[in-house]
Amino acid sequence: MSTRAQPAATPPPPEAETEQAGPDRAALSAGARQERRLGWLLCAPAVVVMIAVTAYPIGYAVYLSLQRYDLRFPGQAKFVGLSNYGSVLSSPFWWDAFWVTLFITAVSVTIELVLGMGLALVMHRTIFWRGVVRTSVLIPYGIVTVVAAFSWQYAWTPELGYLAALLPSGEAPLTEQWPALWLIILAEVWKTTPFMALLLLAGLALVPEETLKAAMVDGATAWQRFTKVMLPLMKPAILVALLFRTLDAFRIFDNIYILTAGAQGTGSLSILGYDNLFTSLNLGIGSAISVLIFICVGIIAFAFVKLFGTAAPGAEVKR
Amino acid sequence: MAAAGKTHAARWGVLNVVVVLYALFPVWWIAALSFKDPGTLTDGDYIPRDWTLENYRGIFDTSEFTRALINSIGIALIATVIAVALGTMAAYAVARLRFPGKRVLIGMSLLIAMFPPISLVSPLFNIERIIGIFDTWIGLIIPYMTFSLPLAIYTLSAFFREIPWDLEKAAKVDGATPAQAFRLVIAPLAAPGVFTTAILVFIFCWNDFLFAISLTSTEAARTVPAAIAFFTGSSQFQQPTGSIAAAAVVITIPIIVFVLLFQRRIVAGLTSGAVKG
């Protein structure tokens, strides 16, 4: 308080006129105070809700993860330190789910990037039917994931599906690990490529037409124009799209739940967490898994921001 | 030259058809299934031979589906209204006002946008059981609202940055307080952005599956995506394929209507944050 009572101690900004600094500053700070109060008032409800529903529960999850807390034996609840983490990390179930999740994430995001870029270019360049194409592409994004997953499940169900009909009879791809994993990826890619494509389309709009024409005049081939001109200019949009899709793919749940329910070694980390909670009703272990998944996502986000310098979407960019 | 132009156009035509088929075929396929009667379900035709509404009649006969549909509509609508109201206030502050803590707010919403929902399922399950909102509407509205707040804040602050704020200044010169300037001048201009955000948030809530199956246990609050995962056939020897297909079509219709009507706006809303980020 005492330091704030002596505004004279802080040197006035060089451009300010010395004589008018006093009253001007007072008027400004009154306005600024009002602005500040309004800012806090307007943000307060959103902040309170976000903290109450995410920060508090994740703290509670950390607390639960340090307890033996099995809903079938509530009387045995007690503090067990890190032993739940030990059980999870030494269990093959965790590591199987971890590698499955990583595999699905890496493969589907890679395919989505390539396919999404293709889709974005078609949407960007096509002359006729542009509206129809863009509207169609939005539909997989908007459709309920569970519905999409059922469509793919039925497509591969022997006797029922058009895709299963292409296979030799007796084949049921969803009952074997590797075919099932690829079908999960297919369903994921179909559902979320449009999202990737739309973000990339926004990035394409950042590439000035004149720059491309200039490159063309200089004799750059189409491929050179794409890799040397378009990709570098689109880098921010590509990184944001990759970050969002990677984190989203990492928490894959709906598709797997419908297609295989995690059978035949196709369960992701989210499926593992769900099963521990609702099949074995073990809140301690389930919470330890929750916290570990949270940490994984944190590491991915941190790596993206640090390694690639992804700017926070919506944040003001430092230029 | 003309021939070259023609092959060019033809190539784009083929590409466009491929893209449209890629996007729509799986949707058409499940719609076709929903119109087949049990006898022709496995005939593999892409267009049903005998159209029937039997599957639709079947699902609307049971309370399981109608109840879930009411839950879905009610929960998604309420969560959307609250999230958009809170998001509008925060986004206005983010886009327009200078105040300490703004960066923290932006960082926090970004963090929540990336939050793995499964990490919240076990603590929320227990908290909701303890305070007695497990398996109720409010028990789903709260997480939906929270997870769509970052989306609302981002898209809205992007929209808000494009509003000509000189109008607000003019209002203030004429003696309006900041609150009045917001309510009387800016809010009407922001309405299209708010509406677009509401559609995005609604789609988000409508789609959720993980919270819907984790935080409900009966028909009281179970939404359609969760309900169709638990559908059973009318006898235990019958697969509920037709019913699931019909239910799937019913919950897809609102999305298709939104997309058809507001395609341009939805694209703008989804991408505005990404380009500026």
Side-chain angles (χ1 to χ4, degrees), chain A residues 313-316, chain B residues 87-88 90-96 106 150-163 165 193 197 272-273 276:
Chain A
E316 285 126 305
Chain B
T88 306
Y92 171 80
V94 165
R96 285 293 297 147
I106 294 171
L151 178 74
I153 293 176
Y154 284 138
T155 45
L156 277 167
S157 55
F159 278 119
F160 282 172
R161 285 200 192 101
E162 279 158 28
I163 290 177
W165 294 98
T197 307
S272 51
K276 280 164 196 136

Side-chain angles (χ1 to χ4, degrees), chain A residues 171-256:
Chain A
E171 291 268 331
L174 283 170
T175 60
E176 293 162 61
Q177 186 185 13
W178 281 103
L181 277 178
W182 285 107
L183 298 190
I184 288 166
I185 289 173
L186 171 73
E188 181 76 359
V189 165
W190 179 78
K191 170 79 172 74
T192 52
T193 302
F195 179 70
M196 181 78 102
L198 288 173
L199 293 191
L200 295 178
L201 181 66
L204 275 174
L206 295 179
V207 181
E209 209 53 39
E210 304 86 68
T211 320
L212 285 177
K213 281 215 181 92
M216 206 153 140
V217 171
D218 289 345
T221 62
W223 180 249
Q224 282 171 330
R225 271 176 280 148
F226 178 65
T227 53
K228 300 263 162 69
V229 181
M230 284 159 88
L231 286 188
L233 284 170
M234 287 174 70
K235 197 180 154 213
I238 295 177
L239 287 177
V240 167
L242 275 182
L243 172 65
F244 270 1
R245 276 304 308 140
T246 305
L247 292 177
D248 208 30
F250 196 80
R251 32 188 201 202
I252 182 170
F253 180 81
D254 310 14
N255 266 332
I256 302 182

